[in-house]
């Protein structure tokens, strides 16, 4: 016994020296020293969630009531740093939220329930836009915040806020109130409050930029926020910029020490083959972009926005649409009565066409035939026995339209001038038949007139590429009732791409049509006699040529002075036209 006593004393001394320095097992607090606060190692590998909560209950010194839904859930937490005891509650809450669970505190009891149930039973209600204090955020409790809005529309803000917050955070809009109600963790609520504080203000004007943590707001000057947001969300998140340093590797810096090579700004590792997309939404009311990104990422995204949000030139396109037609008509004939009746028919139809006789063959003392006309009347009576007519016409010029349209560079513009024409598509009988039968007709409306569509593209030398589409549709005539009585349409269109200088007039055309017709009406046998047969027939020769010409003159308006000069010029032209019209009416 005496020989063993010194050995026992030595063991006790070693135990007292080593034990305070020994790190506790995972989930167990480390003994507090004067130099370091009590902490624990957050290292759980494939651990049941209920076992994790048992360990946390011992650390935070509170009773935890576990919901049945927790059973079977497993977690893995890998930590390189120890967690302080005072941060244990917030750490536990964050872990539970990743698994879809929240906490409800009642005195010394903490209930673990589904996160939606925790939100519904939140006991802390705040009113206003004041942010949550840092101490409250650290506790990461569940709260409800009522936020009245002053300038923005709650219905328009709701989809934007939901895009940038956790799906476990509830956002509610009371009926007939411009108010938002948030329910969620203090950290999520605080982020939403900062965002609302930046959005619910009188617009500072285009070009203003503001940030709240990782939420950034950029008010656009020239572009539409919705269109630009749709572009940004398709882009990959830009890489973090390289931190600038002075000097080259190996060169001495100002302090005499060798300069270090550029080092990239630390960022979270990315999964190979996978790139995060830019997160951006549009606030239409203020024409602003709301982007979620780290400060380093935001600097790169901001450069992209500034490049895209630049002013665009405008183009005024003057168009003159002209129809050049050449109609040569030669009409010569003699119309004889060939029956000894008071109301007999005429052989070539001249008398009826000119209105010389009515539909019953009676003389009307009217003649509407063009050109030279000569009539023969029976001596001693009023009976017409013959008519001679000779006519020649020529037409050649018609201005169809002269539209002018202003648009932005690379922006399609369209102008339509015309009317809708009814076209019968169906006839059907309704009723009981006989005298009670009713005919019901169905109609569709077909557009006619002039349509012009064009898109200008201006290069750095002020040359303009025009993507142009021109369509002209008009009614050619009305068919007979036997064939439905519907109109027939003429349609001519041009689709082309051209390059033109600023204020250069060019012409596009070539829609040429050529229509030749020859018609002969004659008395049988007599009209076929050589030479003498001319007296017994009517010959009509018609040749119609039509060419559609489109004259284009683009004007680039890239500043206020040019726009004002063009406006004054067009105003003066309009006033001159009014004066000329008034002079003609006097």
């Amino acid at each position: 016994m005496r020989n063993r006593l010194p050995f026992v004393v030595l063991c006790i001394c070693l135990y007292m020296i080593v034990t305070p320095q020994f790190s506790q097992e995972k989930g167990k607090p480390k003994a507090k020293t004067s130099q370091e606060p009590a902490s624990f190692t957050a290292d759980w590998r494939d651990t049941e969630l209920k076992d994790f909560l048992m360990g946390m209950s011992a650390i935070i010194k509170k009773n935890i009531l576990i919901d049945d839904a927790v059973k079977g859930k497993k977690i893995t937490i890998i930590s390189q740093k120890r967690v302080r005891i005072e941060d244990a509650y917030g750490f536990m809450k964050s872990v539970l939220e990743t698994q879809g669970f929240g906490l409800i505190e009642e005195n010394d009891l903490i209930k673990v329930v589904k996160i939606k149930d925790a939100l519904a039973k939140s006991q802390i209600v705040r009113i206003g836009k004041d942010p949550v204090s840092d101490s409250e955020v650290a506790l990461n409790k569940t709260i409800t915040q009522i936020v009245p809005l002053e300038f923005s529309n709650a219905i328009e803000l709701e989809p934007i806020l939901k895009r940038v917050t956790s799906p476990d955070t509830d956002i509610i809009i009371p009926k007939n109130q411009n108010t938002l109600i948030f329910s969620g963790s203090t950290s999520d609520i605080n982020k939403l409050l900062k965002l609302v504080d930046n959005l619910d203000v009188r617009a500072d004007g285009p070009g203003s930029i503001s940030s709240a943590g990782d939420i950034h707001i950029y008010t656009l000057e020239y572009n539409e926020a919705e269109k630009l947001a749709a572009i940004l969300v398709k882009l990959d998140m830009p890489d973090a910029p390289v931190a600038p340093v002075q000097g080259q590797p190996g060169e001495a810096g100002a302090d005499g020490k060798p300069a270090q090579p550029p080092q990239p700004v630390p960022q979270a590792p990315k999964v190979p083959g996978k790139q995060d997309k830019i997160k951006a939404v549009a606030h239409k009311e203020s024409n602003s972009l709301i982007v979620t990104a780290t400060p380093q990422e935001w600097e790169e995204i901001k450069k992209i926005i500034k490049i895209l949000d630049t002013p665009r030139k405008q183009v005024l396109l003057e168009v003159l649409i002209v129809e050049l037609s050449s109609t040569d008509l030669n009409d010569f004939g003699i119309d004889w009565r060939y029956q000894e009746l008071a109301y007999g028919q005429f052989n070539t139809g001249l008398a009826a066409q000119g209105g010389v006789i009515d539909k019953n063959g009676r003389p009307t003392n009217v003649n509407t035939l063009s050109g030279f006309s000569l009539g023969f009347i029976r001596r001693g009576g009023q009976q017409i026995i013959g008519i001679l007519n000779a006519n020649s016409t020529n037409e050649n010029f018609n201005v169809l339209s002269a539209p002018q349209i202003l648009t932005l560079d690379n922006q399609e513009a369209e102008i339509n001038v015309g009317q809708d024409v009814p076209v019968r598509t169906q006839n059907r009988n309704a009723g009981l038949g006989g005298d009670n039968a009713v005919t019901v007709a169905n109609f569709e409306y077909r557009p006619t007139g002039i349509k012009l569509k064009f898109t200008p593209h201006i290069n750095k030398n002020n040359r303009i590429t025009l993507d142009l589409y021109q369509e002209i549709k008009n009614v050619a005539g009305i068919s007979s009732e036997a064939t439905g009585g519907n109109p027939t349409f003429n349609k001519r269109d041009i689709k082309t791409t051209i390059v033109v200088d600023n204020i250069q007039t060019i012409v596009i055309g070539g829609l040429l049509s050529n229509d030749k017709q020859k018609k002969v009406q004659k008395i049988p046998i007599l009209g076929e006699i050589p030479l003498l047969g001319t007296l017994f027939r009517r010959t009509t020769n018609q040749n119609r040529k039509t060419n559609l010409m489109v004259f284009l003159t683009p004007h680039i308006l890239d500043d206020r002075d040019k726009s004002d000069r063009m406006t004054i010029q067009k105003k003066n032209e309009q006033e001159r036209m009014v004066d000329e019209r008034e002079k003609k009416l006097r």
Side-chain angles (χ1 to χ4, degrees), residues 93 101-104 111 113-123 142-144 183:
K93 192 171 187 298
F101 296 99
L103 300 177
I104 300 176
K111 295 181 180 179
V113 296
K114 291 182 179 179
I115 198 163
K116 290 295 183 182
D117 296 334
L119 294 177
K121 295 181 180 180
S122 173
Q123 296 179 348
T142 300
I143 66 171
T144 298
S183 185

Side-chain angles (χ1 to χ4, degrees), residues 29 41-42 54 69 272 319 350 354 361 366 407 410 527:
T41 301
M54 289 174 61
V319 184
L350 274 171
V366 175
T407 187
N410 299 313

Side-chain angles (χ1 to χ4, degrees), residues 220 223-230 281-284 286-289:
L220 301 179
N223 220 317
E224 294 182 29
E226 291 177 306
K227 292 182 178 179
L228 194 50
V281 292
H283 184 229
K284 184 177 180 180
S286 63
N287 197 37
S288 299
L289 285 172

Side-chain angles (χ1 to χ4, degrees), residues 477-536:
I478 306 294
S479 62
S480 64
E481 287 294 330
T483 58
N486 277 331
T488 56
F489 298 92
N490 288 332
K491 179 181 177 182
R492 290 162 289 178
D493 58 60
I494 302 172
K495 185 176 182 181
T496 184
T497 299
I498 58 176
V499 179
V500 59
D501 288 329
N502 184 28
I503 321 180
Q504 177 191 4
T505 300
I506 61 172
V507 60
I508 57 176
L511 293 179
L512 182 66
S513 63
N514 193 354
D515 182 19
K516 292 183 179 181
Q517 292 182 354
K518 182 177 181 180
K519 182 169 62 176
V520 178
Q521 292 174 291
K522 59 187 177 181
I523 297 175
I525 302 175
L526 295 178
E528 298 175 0
I529 299 175
L531 299 178
L532 187 63
T534 305
L535 300 175
F536 301 100

Side-chain angles (χ1 to χ4, degrees), residues 227-481:
K227 292 182 178 179
L228 194 50
I231 295 172
L232 290 176
V233 296
K234 295 179 181 179
L235 303 177
D236 293 331
M237 191 72 75
D239 293 332
V242 174
V245 295
Q246 296 180 350
Q248 298 296 325
E251 293 181 356
D255 56 359
K257 296 181 180 179
Q260 298 298 319
Q263 297 295 326
V265 176
Q267 58 180 345
K270 296 183 178 180
V271 178
K274 179 182 178 182
Q275 292 289 332
D276 293 332
K277 297 294 182 181
I278 294 177
K279 298 177 182 178
V281 292
H283 184 229
K284 184 177 180 180
E285 194 174 54
S286 63
N287 197 37
S288 299
L289 285 172
I290 303 170
V291 180
T292 304
T294 65
Q296 293 81 15
E297 293 168 341
W298 171 238
E299 289 302 317
E300 300 302 310
I301 296 172
K302 189 164 56 174
K303 293 177 184 176
I304 298 174
I305 297 174
K306 287 183 177 180
I307 293 173
L308 296 177
D309 188 38
T310 54
R312 288 189 287 171
K313 297 178 181 180
Q314 299 184 98
V315 175
L316 174 68
L317 185 66
E318 293 184 295
V319 184
L320 180 65
I321 305 171
V322 178
E323 185 180 61
L324 303 176
S325 61
S326 176
T327 304
D328 296 325
L329 174 66
N330 292 301
D331 191 3
F332 179 84
I334 299 178
D335 201 356
W336 296 106
R337 249 188 65 194
Y338 55 88
Q339 293 183 5
E340 292 293 333
L341 300 174
Y343 308 120
Q345 299 295 321
F346 286 75
N347 62 299
T348 64
L350 274 171
Q353 180 180 330
V356 178
I357 61 174
D358 60 19
K359 62 181 180 180
N360 295 318
R362 298 171 180 170
T364 62
N365 297 321
V366 175
N367 180 16
T368 61
L369 291 172
S370 301
F372 174 77
S373 299
L374 180 64
F376 303 93
I377 302 176
R378 183 184 296 276
R379 179 179 295 180
Q382 296 296 321
Q383 294 186 10
I384 301 173
I385 61 174
I387 297 175
L388 180 145
N389 177 255
N391 180 33
S392 178
T393 62
N394 194 321
E395 301 173 358
N396 61 1
F397 191 80
N398 183 25
V399 177
L400 299 181
S401 182
Q404 301 177 21
I405 186 169
L406 179 69
T407 187
L408 289 172
D409 182 28
N410 299 313
Q411 183 72 44
E412 183 182 72
E414 179 176 347
I415 185 171
N416 293 282
V417 180
Q419 61 183 355
D420 290 337
V421 178
V423 176
R424 183 164 49 192
T425 59
Q426 183 183 13
N427 278 343
R428 59 187 178 86
N429 293 326
L432 301 177
D435 295 337
N436 296 323
V438 178
T439 301
V440 179
N442 294 335
F443 289 87
E444 290 182 356
Y445 285 86
R446 305 284 174 83
T448 62
I450 295 174
K451 176 189 291 185
L452 172 66
K453 294 170 63 176
F454 81 100
T455 305
H457 309 282
I458 306 173
N459 67 15
K460 62 181 180 180
N461 297 319
N462 273 358
R463 288 180 63 83
I464 307 167
T465 301
L466 288 175
D467 297 328
L468 182 73
Y469 177 75
Q470 175 80 57
E471 178 184 281
I472 299 174
K473 185 185 293 185
N474 64 311
V475 177
I478 306 294
S479 62
S480 64
E481 287 294 330

